Amino acid sequence: MSHLQAGATLMVQGTTSDAGKSTLVTALCRWLQRQGVSVAPFKPQNMALNSAVTADGGEIGRAQAVQAQACGLPAHTDMNPVLLKPNSDTGSQVIIHGQAVGNMNAVAYHDYKRVAREAVLASHARLRANHQVVMVEGAGSPAEINLRANDIANMGFAEAVDCPVILIADIDKGGVFAHLVGTLELLSPSEQARLKGFVINRFRGDIALLKPGLDWLEQRTGKPVLGVLPYLMDFHLEAEDAIDRRQVSKADQVLKVVVPVLPRISNHTDFDPLRLHPQVELTFVGPGEAIPPADLIILPGSKSVRADLAFLRSGGWAAAIDRHLRYGGKLLGICGGLQMLGRRVEDPQGLEGPAGGSDGFGLLHIDTVLEPHKQLRNVSGRLCLEDAPISGYEIHAGVTAGAGLQRAAVRLDDGRSDGALSEDGQVMGTYLHGLFESSAACSALLRWAGLRDVQTVDYHALRERDIERLADLVENHLDTAALRALCGLDEEAR
């Protein structure tokens, strides 16, 4: 086993959103874990609507849950102590140490950052005390000048804990040298000093053609290029927030699945197993786009159910769903989607927007009331369709009741039932996120939707395969000696 200086911290920041920060942190976590190093992921502040339920009963960003898997650890709220879940263009639900503390607009949260900073530093201190390396992911870019005051997400955090920083940029976006040099120029002298090197992500082609640019970058900045990561084909890692709408080549016989892109869609990672399934053609339909014919329509989770209901109606989805069901299609609602399928959604305290109520689609005999206490659970049970084993997680503030629940979608191992199935068997709703990650349940749902001879796909094995591929990239394309030094590795003990 490698020996480390206790409590080393290394931070990965990016020149832009989606530069590859989450991917590089995941890669470094598995690379260290392979060497027997006790490593934990950490993201001080995260703004995302994709979240996971932790072993200690809280809520963190899904990327940190995947990074925990890369470390061989259960996900914990200390790995993402501040999570912001946008519920409007100017406001978010603020989650501290896994629990919601309220809704705040940008101005109110700016004032609240002093409290959030204490939560961040406390979580980091606990991780440092229990692990040899804490691998930190920044948010957005450190060059966002308007967010520099009281920053806890990027250089403000790095300065507070005095840790080195790696800067990653995506060459596939174009302008990679401008991104790197420009970001460095906008940092303060002390921040520039703690930036220890660059990583270039998603390179395609002959590395020899890039070499003159790398030499220029090192000479111009005085900072080393720690490596160039190639563009990975057939690669998938759960996204922090952005929806990947690229079409993937499929088998000849496929099930057509359509998902509306809601303004406040949450946990769209629910559909990643379907995107990767060789017999499923998944289409995300954005605002103003034509709604194509489908075998299955899925209403996803939502951070603002009533507002997203209004969005669906204004976009013609009510008529499209009626037509879809009239011609024998299947309809599934997940979490907020389940609530939309009922008769009413009431928000008497204005938890997700203005207080009031809205009519649902009326396809399930259920009603939902939003309450302040959020349900956060990892659960397992049996899908009633075929008595198939299923596991997932609940993240919702709604309390749902009604006669429709007597025909449950899932029987949970803790004795509760979940969701509802319509009497004609065409409409189903569940609170369970992650339901398609269970191979048997996914196959049962695809058969219910009309697919014959379903191929079984092990989504967890695919994710583990790609985490291993990332660690291979670190070993083969990055300066591992420099990385070991930045992580505090004792070279003489190796």
Side-chain angles (χ1 to χ4, degrees), residues 224-360:
V225 175
L226 299 173
V228 178
L229 297 173
Y231 191 102
L232 277 184
M233 304 300 292
D234 187 30
F235 169 76
H236 165 76
L237 199 66
E238 292 181 1
E240 194 83 89
D241 225 21
I243 296 176
D244 187 346
R245 300 179 63 185
R246 291 173 297 177
Q247 292 291 339
V248 181
S249 297
K250 299 289 183 179
D252 293 335
Q253 199 171 23
V254 298
L255 188 83
K256 295 184 182 297
V257 180
V258 167
V259 179
V261 180
L262 306 174
R264 298 299 169 200
I265 187 172
S266 64
N267 285 70
H268 62 71
T269 49
D270 286 339
F271 309 113
D272 287 350
L274 298 182
R275 287 188 61 248
L276 298 176
H277 198 288
Q279 295 172 291
V280 175
E281 182 183 291
L282 180 72
T283 302
F284 286 106
V285 179
E289 296 179 353
I291 303 169
D295 301 297
L296 172 64
I297 292 176
I298 306 178
L299 301 184
S302 166
K303 190 66 190 69
S304 300
V305 176
R306 292 176 58 224
D308 282 346
L309 254 174
F311 165 82
L312 288 175
R313 285 198 167 95
S314 68
W317 279 92
I321 287 171
D322 286 344
R323 183 172 58 252
H324 172 76
L325 294 174
R326 191 163 59 247
Y327 286 98
K330 297 296 198 301
L331 176 64
L332 174 66
I334 300 175
C335 197
L338 161 67
Q339 297 169 2
M340 293 178 187
L341 293 175
R343 295 175 297 191
R344 289 283 293 177
V345 179
E346 302 286 350
D347 186 4
Q349 300 184 50
L351 299 174
E352 293 186 349
S358 299
D359 288 332

Side-chain angles (χ1 to χ4, degrees), residues 45 106-107 109-114 116-117 141-157 186 191:
Q45 176 183 286
V107 174
Y109 180 68
H110 184 77
D111 294 336
Y112 185 80
K113 272 189 178 180
R114 291 186 298 273
R117 175 187 173 90
S141 163
E144 294 166 343
I145 302 302
N146 57 310
L147 301 177
R148 294 289 293 279
N150 300 319
D151 170 55
I152 58 173
N154 288 299
M155 281 298 182
F157 170 80
L186 290 173
E191 293 167 348

